[in-house]
Amino acid sequence: MQRSVIIDCDPGVDDCIALLAALGAPEQIDLRAICVVAGNVPVDTCARNARGVLALAGREDIPVYSGCDRPMQVDPVFAEHIHGASGLGDAKLPESTVTPATLGAVDYLCETLGQAEPASITLVITGPMTNFATALQRDPNIVEAVREVVIMGGASVEGGNITPHAEFNIFADPDAAAIVLASACPTVLIGLDATLQIRCTPPRMSELEASSHPACHAAAEMIAHVNRIYGEVYGAEGAALHDPCTIGYLLAPELYDLVSVSAKVDCSGGERRGQTVITPAQSSGLQWVTGLRDGPLFDLLVRHMERV
Ligand code: RIB
Ligand code: CA
């Protein structure tokens, strides 16, 4: 059954791959809009990259709304050292011919969710949660319109990737994460415990590179950059496909293992800034992904990118 979906992201290499997979699944995902937020790269770069993905996919009918250019309280951190200054690694995306929307992402979220039917919209967040947290603070009633929030963020058993304790999306705006994870929205949180299980190994890279499909080829160019950056860390395992795991969940939740939990975010600003403490909890409304089937998931993502 088709979901009405808004993706809030900070493209970024893996965000772009998540967007491409979503665009290849129009029967399941009616992508209403893309909201962008400062994260991997500055928000204007994120907006340009989101529009570039839409131009590549021939879907410039989908609007891109630019959101918060900095976190709610903490000082901004970026990840250009991983994604490159362009946010696309070595890939070049088509320049969009569409005039950018003037409405801000927070205004868009408040207006759209404020007018939507109850439990009718799925929100996918693959960057810092600043936009949605700001919208929730402005109008708490928007939770009524949310069917489910599917978030890439957090870490528990795996430890952090930007510090030993914190995953980047949470570290980048811990206060926003605390607000969103405390909301009444049914939420699925996909952290490093799960996303580090799906890697772009050399055989998978070869499959993408050999593809005649532009989306797969662009994905290979983007990931190759991250693999080089992380060569000594990831080694032969390759870069993790963090953000596409959110789309995989929408398309094939049976590939995921989930547990009901509570989550506490460290907003202290100390060395454990952005740490997520995940604790089993019944009927919390928050589910934590403990594992996934990486082979079928990778194949699913490629199959949908080939349809773009
Ligand atoms: O920790 C991984 C997350 O941080 C991903 O969303 C990646 O795009 C970066 O934003
Ligand atoms: Ca991201």
Side-chain angles (χ1 to χ4, degrees), residues 10 15 40 126-127 243:
D10 61 338
D15 303 74
N40 287 318
T126 63
D243 294 338

Side-chain angles (χ1 to χ4, degrees), residues 3-46:
R3 285 184 186 237
S4 186
V5 177
I6 297 169
I7 297 179
D8 192 296
C9 54
D10 61 338
V13 166
D14 55 331
D15 303 74
C16 290
I17 296 170
L19 291 173
L20 289 168
L23 290 163
E27 298 83 0
Q28 294 101 316
I29 295 175
D30 171 19
L31 185 53
R32 300 269 298 267
I34 298 172
C35 295
V36 293
V37 66
N40 287 318
V41 289
V43 69
D44 290 347
T45 309
C46 292

Side-chain angles (χ1 to χ4, degrees), residues 122-273:
T122 296
L123 181 59
V124 172
I125 305 177
T126 63
M129 302 181 215
T130 319
N131 288 340
F132 188 43
T134 305
L136 283 169
Q137 278 196 326
R138 187 187 298 177
D139 180 4
N141 296 324
I142 61 174
V143 296
E144 300 304 321
V146 177
R147 171 179 171 178
E148 191 170 43
V149 187
V150 183
I151 301 166
M152 191 280 138
S156 180
V157 172
E158 278 294 341
N161 59 357
I162 188 77
T163 73
H165 310 293
E167 180 278 324
F168 177 81
N169 287 337
I170 312 294
F171 180 83
D173 196 340
D175 305 286
I179 289 167
V180 171
L181 295 178
S183 80
C185 300
T187 301
V188 174
L189 187 57
I190 309 177
L192 299 179
D193 293 20
T195 63
L196 286 172
Q197 294 179 23
I198 179 167
R199 302 299 186 93
C200 292
T201 57
R204 289 173 176 168
M205 285 301 289
S206 302
E207 180 184 348
L208 289 172
E209 286 156 359
S211 173
S212 59
H213 296 273
C216 293
H217 210 246
E221 284 183 328
M222 293 183 211
I223 297 165
H225 172 86
V226 181
N227 275 346
R228 265 199 308 283
I229 298 289
Y230 265 89
E232 69 281 358
V233 172
Y234 285 142
E237 287 188 284
L241 280 177
H242 302 291
D243 294 338
C245 291
T246 58
I247 305 306
Y249 172 76
L250 295 185
L251 300 177
E254 67 278 5
L255 299 180
Y256 292 67
D257 302 318
L258 298 97
V259 292
S260 180
V261 298
S262 66
K264 185 164 171 27
V265 180
D266 185 312
C267 297
S268 67
E271 64 164 4
R272 291 185 179 259
R273 161 182 158 178

